[in-house]
Amino acid sequence: MKYLKQIAWAVTLGAMSMTTPSVWAQSGGHTAGSHTMLSPGDLKWVDVPSLPPGAKLALIEGPLNEAVPFTFRLQFPANYQIPAHWHPAVERVTVISGTINMGIGDKLDAQTTKPLGPGSMAIMQPKTNHFVWTKEETVVQLNGVGPWGITYVNPADDPRKK
Ligand SMILES: [Cu+2]
């Protein structure tokens, strides 16, 4: 259990509700509606206050805290976990590299997760409790319509409150 807390993961991108304008500007994100063409090397990775330590976020489209389409990537280290959580809007996750193991429920249970490798996709409905863990470094891309956020089932799992 201790291990779980140390490496929890998150997609959520709740991170997003924590994204300040300055972080937005630094991240190189593009305003919704603008024509965007970028390569992986253009991405600017920043820390994610709303996720367990170790994750990085690269904003592509947003901002995440407004009612506009968003796209961003998350990089998780190996052996990373995000405890059970939910989001206020539909979450669409596409795996770019590595593998995420995702499950649905109120508590992280590695026995119930499904491995999703490169090219895989998951679509999570609003306020549906889910969790994720990795065994290898993994990059996923999330898109949806903001405002985005993350709420942990167990408030004690929220790194913003630690
Ligand atoms: Cu999530």
Side-chain angles (χ1 to χ4, degrees):
M1 201 49 218
K2 189 177 180 185
Y3 177 75
L4 293 188
K5 285 192 175 177
Q6 286 174 342
I7 46 187
W9 96 301
V11 167
T12 323
L13 328 202
M16 321 356 181
S17 61
M18 291 295 288
T19 304
T20 62
S22 62
V23 169
W24 168 247
Q26 290 168 6
S27 72
H30 293 70
T31 303
S34 66
H35 188 121
T36 300
M37 294 187 286
L38 58 77
S39 301
D42 298 328
L43 299 174
K44 292 178 180 171
W45 297 92
V46 299
D47 291 335
V48 195
S50 63
L51 296 183
K56 292 283 187 180
L57 182 154
L59 273 171
I60 296 172
E61 176 191 25
L64 294 165
N65 60 352
E66 293 182 13
V68 297
F70 67 77
T71 302
F72 63 91
R73 290 187 187 182
L74 288 172
Q75 181 184 71
F76 306 126
N79 302 313
Y80 187 74
Q81 297 184 345
I82 301 178
H85 63 276
W86 57 269
H87 308 288
V90 174
E91 171 180 18
R92 299 177 180 84
V93 182
T94 303
V95 180
I96 304 294
S97 62
T99 301
I100 58 166
N101 299 278
M102 178 179 274
I104 297 173
D106 300 339
K107 194 171 182 183
L108 196 153
D109 179 359
Q111 303 303 313
T112 66
T113 54
K114 178 182 175 68
L116 299 169
S120 301
M121 183 171 192
I123 301 176
M124 313 294 291
Q125 297 305 308
K127 298 192 174 178
T128 300
N129 294 338
H130 59 283
F131 43 83
V132 177
W133 60 276
T134 68
K135 196 164 154 185
E136 59 185 317
E137 183 177 290
T138 298
V139 175
V140 298
Q141 180 164 296
L142 284 81
N143 65 284
V145 177
W148 192 239
I150 178 171
T151 302
Y152 290 89
V153 174
N154 179 357
D157 287 332
D158 193 333
R160 293 166 295 192
K161 295 173 181 170
K162 288 177 182 172

